[in-house]
Amino acid sequence: MQALEQTWRWYGPNDPVSLTDIRQTGATGIVTALHHIPNGEIWPVADITERKVMIEAAGLRWSVVESIPVHEDIKRASGNYQNYIANYQQSIRNLASCGITIVTYNFMPILDWSRTHLNQRMPDGSTGLLFDRTAFAAFELYLLQRPAAYDTYNPDEQEAAKTYLDGLDTVAREGLVRNIIAGLPGGTTDSVPNLDHFRSLLASYDEISAQTLRANLVHFLKAIVPVAAEVGVKLAIHPDDPPYPLLGLPRVVSTAADVAHLFQSVDDPANGLCFCTGSFGVRADNDLPQMIADFGDRIHFAHLRATKRDAAGNFFEADHLDGDVDMYAVMKTLLHSADQQGVAIPFRPDHGHKMLDDLTKTRTNPGYSAIGRLRGLAELRGLMMGILRSNTS
């Protein structure tokens, strides 16, 4: 049976986790992007080559691009979107010319991900990411003051959100805003974002329904998939995080039906999926092993993490082998898919807890400190090797 390729996300030269650190984790592949290139611009061959040489000098290889950001104009089919699509096509060609052939992207409006707490204390003393629905409602209703949000929450939820907000001082309120808007592409938790600017971004989607966004995604795919197929690149769309509408914004890559629609609309092996167990796993109606079995020939990359949800709509990042994700069944089915494809599908541990020495470091990327992901990679590697060995015994 074909093993999976073990990779690690690296945010580039400014990442507090260095390539030297990553080499010691057992990962062989790097997942990274050219974050200094503004969204919508072409990735030059010179910049791609410089990054690739840097990675290879550390004894690793650039396995996956995560991500080439999709400009908001493309998602809205507005402004200069056709020019941005042409730039995207050229970036794919440039990556292929440098031997980099898996490109991950997402089609989430405005926010790449959303959490309310980035350092939630876990029972073992480590910290992790949490989405608290009441805290999010407090932000949306009373800090952002989005009028339509009152249609999203019932009166009891509105009252609970008000009570929650009343219990926060100014610093805590600013922290909540920072945490939620950290999901903006290029967003950070270093300063309090401009809520007026954020409101204007949301307003630009007022006329964009889920049906419209889905159509815009298909239009985008019809433009870039043939280019990817021509140059031997595999595209891997990341699902919505979390996998349901937020802030009145539509989501169109949240369920098996969503994925099936995309593959039926643009039926080409180059049109593939980044299978994120954490994102899909937040929805109880997503059967992850069955989804892998159904879409296995289109899964070009995997994010393996486990989330734990509750009936109130909250969820947190659990340890990689805990939570609501049946990681044994996921890994077993994913290995079967890799065997069917005849390739070592790359995977990476995702959203590890902050633990041990990382708890005292002055700077870490939320969910991407070193030691928690090292624990996750070790657990996943052990699980993979156990399945592989049992399959040959």
Side-chain angles (χ1 to χ4, degrees):
M1 184 179 285
Q2 176 72 57
L4 309 179
E5 181 187 8
Q6 301 162 46
T7 69
W8 189 277
R9 189 171 193 180
W10 181 58
Y11 283 91
N14 295 323
D15 194 324
V17 183
S18 69
L19 289 172
T20 300
D21 296 334
I22 295 169
R23 180 71 186 277
Q24 297 173 39
T25 68
T28 58
I30 292 295
V31 177
T32 194
L34 301 182
H35 298 99
H36 63 284
I37 305 294
N39 288 6
E41 292 192 8
I42 295 170
W43 285 19
V45 169
D47 291 62
I48 297 168
T49 301
E50 180 182 12
R51 182 63 56 86
K52 184 182 179 186
V53 168
M54 186 184 303
I55 291 167
E56 291 176 349
L60 300 159
R61 82 179 193 97
W62 190 350
S63 300
V64 180
V65 171
E66 186 178 356
S67 301
I68 305 179
V70 179
H71 196 279
E72 296 299 321
D73 277 1
I74 296 175
K75 300 172 190 175
R76 294 183 298 244
S78 64
N80 294 322
Y81 78 101
Q82 296 287 20
N83 182 60
Y84 290 130
I85 290 176
N87 288 352
Y88 208 101
Q89 292 170 324
Q90 190 58 47
S91 293
I92 291 172
R93 295 187 187 100
N94 290 352
L95 285 162
S97 73
C98 296
I100 302 164
T101 58
I102 300 177
V103 173
T104 301
Y105 66 102
N106 74 70
F107 216 76
M108 288 176 271
I110 302 178
L111 291 172
D112 284 351
W113 53 275
S114 279
R115 302 292 187 275
T116 56
H117 299 72
L118 306 184
N119 290 288
Q120 178 69 19
R121 183 71 60 177
M122 302 294 166
D124 64 1
S126 64
T127 65
L129 307 180
L130 167 72
F131 182 91
D132 184 296
R133 180 174 165 82
T134 299
F136 195 88
F139 163 77
E140 188 173 9
L141 290 165
Y142 306 117
L143 296 177
L144 183 64
Q145 298 179 345
R146 188 175 76 87
Y150 286 90
D151 297 329
T152 302
Y153 305 99
N154 64 43
D156 289 343
E157 291 173 321
Q158 294 174 26
E159 182 61 30
K162 184 65 167 61
T163 300
Y164 178 88
L165 189 67
D166 289 343
L168 302 182
D169 60 20
T170 300
V171 173
R173 292 183 182 200
E174 291 178 349
L176 178 62
V177 173
R178 282 196 300 267
N179 291 348
I180 291 173
I181 304 185
L184 281 168
T188 71
T189 57
D190 295 334
S191 60
V192 180
N194 184 320
L195 283 180
D196 286 336
H197 173 63
F198 189 63
R199 291 185 188 102
S200 70
L201 290 175
L202 292 176
S204 72
Y205 278 88
D206 281 350
E207 304 302 319
I208 307 294
S209 65
Q211 182 178 3
T212 301
L213 184 66
R214 186 174 288 109
N216 294 347
L217 172 54
V218 170
H219 175 80
F220 174 61
L221 289 172
K222 287 182 176 179
I224 65 168
V225 168
V227 173
E230 179 184 350
V231 298
V233 166
K234 298 176 179 178
L235 299 170
I237 191 167
H238 188 286
D240 303 323
D241 186 9
Y244 42 74
L246 287 178
L247 299 166
L249 298 170
R251 302 286 210 184
V252 294
V253 192
S254 297
T255 66
D258 291 336
V259 176
H261 173 79
L262 294 182
F263 292 167
Q264 291 162 5
S265 299
V266 185
D267 189 8
D268 190 295
N271 179 25
L273 178 65
C274 169
F275 197 88
C276 179
T277 58
S279 294
F280 283 133
V282 167
R283 291 183 65 121
D285 57 344
N286 281 334
D287 183 337
L288 272 58
Q290 186 61 53
M291 290 174 71
I292 297 173
D294 291 343
F295 304 124
D297 61 340
R298 297 288 191 93
I299 295 174
H300 301 320
F301 182 38
H303 292 176
L304 300 185
R305 61 184 172 94
T307 48
K308 183 71 175 178
R309 59 182 179 268
D310 65 21
N314 310 309
F315 66 90
F316 67 91
E317 305 288 345
D319 291 321
H320 284 73
L321 301 187
D322 296 325
D324 298 311
V325 174
D326 183 348
M327 198 62 75
Y328 171 78
V330 162
M331 179 66 79
K332 188 173 181 179
T333 314
L334 193 59
L335 285 166
H336 180 68
S337 296
D339 201 46
Q340 285 189 316
Q341 289 190 41
V343 298
I345 296 173
F347 81 91
R348 65 173 178 82
D350 200 11
H351 293 188
H353 288 170
K354 192 186 295 185
M355 58 179 58
L356 303 176
D357 292 350
D358 282 342
L359 288 167
T360 60
K361 291 179 180 175
T362 56
R363 187 169 70 92
T364 59
N365 289 317
Y368 290 98
S369 56
I371 301 173
R373 284 187 291 162
L374 173 60
R375 172 182 171 176
L377 182 59
E379 292 177 342
L380 294 167
R381 180 192 296 120
L383 179 61
M384 177 175 67
M385 295 308 297
I387 293 170
L388 289 171
R389 290 292 296 271
S390 65
N391 194 60
T392 58
S393 59

